[in-house]
Amino acid sequence: MAAPAPAPAPPMAAPRVGLLYDDRMCAHATPDGEEHPENPERLRAIWRKLNAAGVASRCVALKAKEAEDKYIASVHSTSHIKLMKEISSKKYDASRNKIARKFNSIYFNKGSSESAVLAAGSVIEVAEKVAAGELSSAIALVRPPGHHAEHDEAMGFCLFNNVAVAANYLLNERPDLGIKKILIVDWDVHHGNGTQKMFYNDPRVLFFSVHRFDYGSFYPAEGDASHCFIGEEAGKGYNINVPWEHGKCGDTDYIAAWDHVLLPVTKVFDPDIILVSAGFDAALGDPLGGCCITPNGYALLLTKLLGFAQGRIVMALEGGYNLRSIANSVCACAKVLLGDKFTFNAPEMQPFESTWRVIQAVRNELKTCWPVLSSKLPENVSLRIRPSPSELNAPSDSESDSEDVAELLATVASVNVIEVAGDAISEHLSKMKLDDDNLSVKTTSSCSAAEQHLVDSVKVQNNASVVLTKRISDLSLAWRSDLSRTDVWYASFGSNMWGPRFLCYVQGGKTEGMSIACCGSRDTSSPKGTMWKTVPHRLLFGRSSTPCWGTGGVAFLNPEINYNEKSYICMYKITLEQFNDILFQENRLVLEDGKDGNVVYPDSPLIGSSEIKFISINKAIHLEPIKDSWYSNVLYLGNEDELPILTMTCPASDIERFKSGELPLAPPSETYAATLIRGLVEGKQLDADGAANYINAAAAKGL
């Protein structure tokens, strides 16, 4: 008698996905109805889309809940909580707008306090239910957003740091839930500065932020968004920044960051729950982000996370300011959590060469903390070159949605491609491979004549194409040979006034006070001469932190001549080749290989003979290829022995940003100031007290 057929397997239970929306969080709005990107329609547009697509009805509806002060106090000061909770009250009616102006990119109205407390409490609510197993995953549609908010300061549209409050709640208030390790993934286009600082020395939280950095010029324009900031003390290695160098990064760039940084580390870290700071301002068409992630791209990024923490994922809304793109992107993510299948059609695009460079730098920085990142990256991939200035500055499409993606991708794909010699790129994006070992870069033979002309014209017109290569090309060797025969005076007004510090830029390494070693110049010859002068320019200290010197401002020279000012400069007689290598290092364009001691240099100079002629007539040149970098402005300070005196500082536009408060003025750190003092004292310009007074006066004086 035949054995009875086995009973069919019971169908898998559908995921229970929580969805929290509360119109009370739409009460936070500009006080007089002015237009603003962070407005109530953001939530309403998402809610309409989820209902129209039949997604909302498939989710478990959750109610918003106000956060208790004691839970918010786990990451925010008592004074900050008090102000945020009272700012909407009647007693602040006359001063509310004035107080808002004291913060960076903040507004308040009579609904702000309630909205902020609801946003923080709502993320706690959904995170608790997912951690307890009542829900498989959840989405919290909250505003105001949170990831920029710091311990004692609202900024960047954010009042309370919602995700940080929820993470602390799970770790410290509910040990019974068994949440001991949390992964926070921040894919908002802006760096999650507030969240980073709140967990910087906490190994229980792995914080991963992928964001536009643009050499430190993209909001919030702080140096700690660099890949060099990896956490400290017990938290060293648990802070991961993937800082894009420019806009237009899209699906393939983000997938590469996932596959080659985030996912390998996450597998080792093995989180108990994942909190996503889900900003959608890197979406195609966003007016602030300038990047190109499609709804399907976000869906794939989320799908890749579902394999960890038993799929326990909480998404908390952060940024995203194109109503259609944010609605479509959230909808795509909700469908992923609900278990819907989707097809990811690989776009006809490749990642940017800068993406590969950034990923390699991140892996090198973290490999001692995460040995899984020490392995050699796979070889052979086609890459796109950096977008041209016209492409970067082109306005975003204002009506992006899933139906428009193909057309928009075709526009984005017009960026030129560079090809790394070897086999073709893997057909599936999830298997994209990097070539870390032999990046011999050439323009692809499939470029159209117009595209090839654009590549050529960039090289000819700017003579400063910043395409990084692993092996220095014949062209690169040629310019180095030429410029090694030209001498200039390099004038330092900052830490390089101290000779041992300056030699780090020439010979490599680091000296007392420095946290990061320099790669050095290709030509390690010592300077042929040294002398001191004073110049009629204002010394100032700006920005808030750097990877090398930590918290504190660094030196800049106001490019405008002012004969009432006097600043000291130490001049080193070096070759123009060495000057370019110093310029590369000041603007973080040189990266260390990490395996065989080689370094990756730009293959073209930023300052050549023609630029020297131009600068001697016009007194300054703002370098277009690195126009957003901190030291992108080269000044001509005269000549000595018929050789030009050159220095590098910020552009005049940054001086205006310092004046307005958009960029911070900040006194130097003790170690940085001590280095300047040593330079002035050992250079016999001032005694120790005089040097300290000189620096303190420059730091204290307003612009």
Side-chain angles (χ1 to χ4, degrees):
M1 183 175 178
M12 292 184 62
R16 283 176 54 82
V17 179
L19 178 62
L20 190 148
Y21 169 84
D22 193 314
D23 200 58
R24 286 180 292 171
M25 283 180 278
C26 295
H28 173 61
T30 53
D32 299 312
E34 308 98 323
E35 291 186 4
H36 194 281
E38 206 296 282
N39 62 71
E41 279 303 304
R42 297 174 62 242
L43 287 193
R44 292 172 180 146
I46 296 170
W47 186 241
R48 288 193 297 267
K49 177 69 178 181
L50 296 180
N51 278 283
V55 169
S57 61
R58 298 168 59 195
C59 296
V60 178
L62 301 174
K63 294 182 179 180
K65 184 177 179 181
E66 291 189 355
E68 296 181 39
D69 288 5
K70 63 180 180 180
Y71 301 143
I72 303 176
S74 67
V75 299
H76 290 293
S77 68
T78 301
S79 60
H80 178 71
I81 297 170
K82 185 174 187 295
L83 178 61
M84 293 303 103
K85 291 192 68 175
E86 295 181 357
I87 193 67
S88 298
S89 65
K90 190 171 183 179
K91 76 174 184 177
Y92 283 103
D93 283 351
S95 59
R96 190 177 298 125
N97 291 348
K98 183 178 180 181
I99 293 172
R101 288 192 292 269
K102 294 180 180 179
F103 294 104
N104 184 336
S105 303
I106 288 294
Y107 64 76
F108 299 120
N109 75 337
K110 293 184 178 181
S112 298
S113 295
E114 182 183 32
S115 295
V117 176
L118 284 170
S122 295
V123 180
I124 290 176
E125 178 75 1
V126 298
E128 185 177 37
K129 290 185 180 300
V130 172
E134 297 177 31
L135 299 170
S136 308
S137 57
I139 301 174
L141 300 179
V142 297
R143 59 177 297 275
H147 70 148
H148 291 310
E150 300 193 349
H151 176 69
D152 198 35
E153 183 177 2
M155 66 177 288
F157 312 160
C158 302
L159 304 189
F160 291 135
N161 197 312
N162 308 317
V163 166
V165 171
N168 267 288
Y169 177 82
L170 294 179
L171 291 169
N172 301 320
E173 301 295 333
R174 292 296 310 272
D176 56 301
L177 296 177
I179 301 299
K180 298 179 180 179
K181 293 185 291 183
I182 296 177
L183 168 64
I184 298 178
V185 176
D186 189 333
W187 69 38
D188 189 282
V189 79
H190 303 96
H191 179 233
N193 56 288
T195 313
Q196 170 173 301
K197 292 174 182 176
M198 290 167 179
F199 299 108
Y200 203 60
N201 60 0
D202 191 339
R204 299 175 301 170
V205 176
L206 175 62
F207 177 63
F208 174 89
S209 178
V210 55
H211 49 269
R212 279 187 66 178
F213 184 55
D214 295 26
Y215 305 104
S217 65
F218 198 75
Y219 191 89
E222 296 180 354
D224 60 4
S226 164
H227 71 283
C228 300
F229 284 78
I230 62 172
E232 60 187 11
E233 299 174 357
K236 185 176 181 180
Y238 292 89
N239 192 87
I240 302 178
N241 287 322
V242 179
W244 300 143
E245 295 179 359
H246 51 72
K248 301 299 181 184
C249 294
D251 296 347
T252 53
D253 302 285
Y254 281 77
I255 292 165
W258 254 235
D259 288 351
H260 300 295
V261 179
L262 175 59
L263 300 186
V265 174
T266 300
K267 184 176 182 180
V268 177
F269 180 65
D270 190 22
D272 298 313
I273 194 171
I274 299 173
L275 307 183
V276 182
S277 273
F280 293 92
D281 40 8
L284 200 62
D286 190 89
L288 299 188
C291 286
C292 302
I293 305 181
T294 66
N296 268 8
Y298 281 115
L300 183 58
L301 298 180
L302 187 59
T303 298
K304 286 174 175 286
L305 294 176
L306 279 173
F308 303 98
Q310 302 176 40
R312 293 190 288 192
I313 294 178
V314 172
M315 297 182 65
L317 188 66
E318 298 284 1
Y321 308 102
N322 178 309
L323 299 185
R324 294 186 68 181
S325 64
I326 191 175
N328 288 324
S329 297
V330 173
C331 187
C333 289
K335 289 180 178 180
V336 166
L337 296 180
L338 286 165
D340 291 4
K341 294 182 179 180
F342 73 98
T343 301
F344 184 81
N345 297 315
E348 294 298 321
M349 288 196 302
Q350 295 79 21
F352 287 110
E353 53 87 16
S354 62
T355 295
W356 261 214
R357 187 164 63 247
V358 167
I359 287 173
Q360 181 61 73
V362 172
R363 288 171 63 99
N364 283 343
E365 193 71 35
L366 288 162
K367 63 187 179 183
T368 56
C369 303
W370 302 101
V372 68
L373 300 180
S374 299
S375 60
K376 181 181 177 181
L377 290 168
E379 301 178 359
N380 307 323
V381 64
S382 295
L383 303 173
R384 288 183 292 160
I385 65 172
R386 176 188 174 97
S388 68
S390 61
E391 289 169 314
L392 287 173
N393 295 326
S396 298
D397 186 284
S398 60
E399 292 295 324
S400 166
D401 74 339
S402 56
E403 289 77 23
D404 303 326
V405 163
E407 179 182 349
L408 289 166
L409 283 176
T411 302
V412 176
S414 65
V415 179
N416 291 304
V417 174
I418 59 177
E419 179 184 273
V420 178
D423 298 331
I425 187 173
S426 170
E427 187 173 312
H428 301 289
L429 288 176
S430 61
K431 298 179 181 179
M432 288 191 307
K433 307 300 181 186
L434 305 180
D435 181 359
D436 161 65
D437 202 40
N438 284 294
L439 285 180
S440 175
V441 182
K442 61 181 181 179
T443 53
T444 179
S445 58
S446 62
C447 282
S448 68
E451 290 170 331
Q452 187 62 55
H453 172 73
L454 176 58
V455 174
D456 293 340
S457 67
V458 168
K459 291 178 180 176
V460 172
Q461 293 172 6
N462 292 332
N463 197 26
S465 168
V466 186
V467 179
L468 303 191
T469 62
K470 179 66 169 64
R471 306 295 181 211
I472 303 299
S473 65
D474 292 340
L475 175 64
S476 180
L477 290 173
W479 75 257
R480 287 184 174 276
S481 178
D482 289 343
L483 299 189
S484 69
R485 295 190 290 270
T486 300
D487 288 342
V488 298
W489 290 100
Y490 161 58
S492 173
F493 48 84
S495 61
N496 284 342
M497 291 190 296
W498 187 40
R501 165 55 174 123
F502 167 73
L503 287 177
C504 295
Y505 269 144
V506 176
Q507 299 171 354
K510 63 181 182 179
T511 189
E512 184 179 346
M514 295 171 60
S515 299
I516 297 174
C518 296
C519 294
S521 172
R522 296 286 291 186
D523 178 1
T524 59
S525 303
S526 297
K528 302 168 185 176
T530 304
M531 63 183 303
W532 287 80
K533 281 184 178 289
T534 59
V535 291
H537 290 268
R538 162 73 193 285
L539 176 69
L540 62 134
F541 295 92
R543 305 284 181 164
S544 57
S545 62
T546 62
C548 184
W549 300 103
T551 302
V554 288
F556 295 95
L557 208 62
N558 190 331
E560 182 180 350
I561 293 175
N562 183 342
Y563 290 102
N564 294 320
E565 299 284 355
K566 182 179 77 170
S567 295
Y568 291 91
I569 57 171
C570 182
M571 295 159 43
Y572 301 95
K573 188 177 180 180
I574 59 175
T575 69
L576 190 51
E577 177 193 9
Q578 290 175 314
F579 181 84
N580 274 279
D581 283 341
I582 294 171
L583 189 56
F584 294 152
Q585 291 174 83
E586 283 281 19
N587 290 290
R588 304 191 63 76
L589 300 177
V590 181
L591 299 176
E592 192 165 359
D593 182 294
K595 295 191 300 298
D596 55 15
N598 287 347
V599 292
V600 185
Y601 292 90
D603 68 353
S604 302
L606 289 167
I607 297 291
S609 300
S610 59
E611 284 79 13
I612 292 291
K613 292 178 182 177
F614 177 90
I615 199 173
S616 65
I617 296 171
N618 295 278
K619 310 306 179 188
I621 183 170
H622 188 198
L623 300 168
E624 181 65 24
I626 58 167
K627 62 184 177 68
D628 294 327
S629 299
W630 289 12
Y631 293 94
S632 59
N633 195 19
V634 176
L635 299 186
Y636 175 81
L637 299 176
N639 65 78
E640 183 69 31
D641 296 333
E642 298 184 352
L643 296 178
I645 304 170
L646 306 178
T647 194
M648 54 199 75
T649 186
C650 63
S653 58
D654 278 4
I655 297 296
E656 296 306 313
R657 296 171 71 194
F658 283 128
K659 289 179 179 178
S660 68
E662 181 182 351
L663 292 178
L665 290 170
S669 67
E670 289 186 11
T671 52
Y672 185 73
T675 305
L676 273 67
I677 291 171
R678 292 183 75 167
L680 290 163
V681 172
E682 294 181 15
K684 299 181 180 179
Q685 302 303 299
L686 296 167
D687 61 21
D689 289 340
N693 290 337
Y694 167 72
I695 292 165
N696 291 336
K701 186 178 178 182
L703 285 174

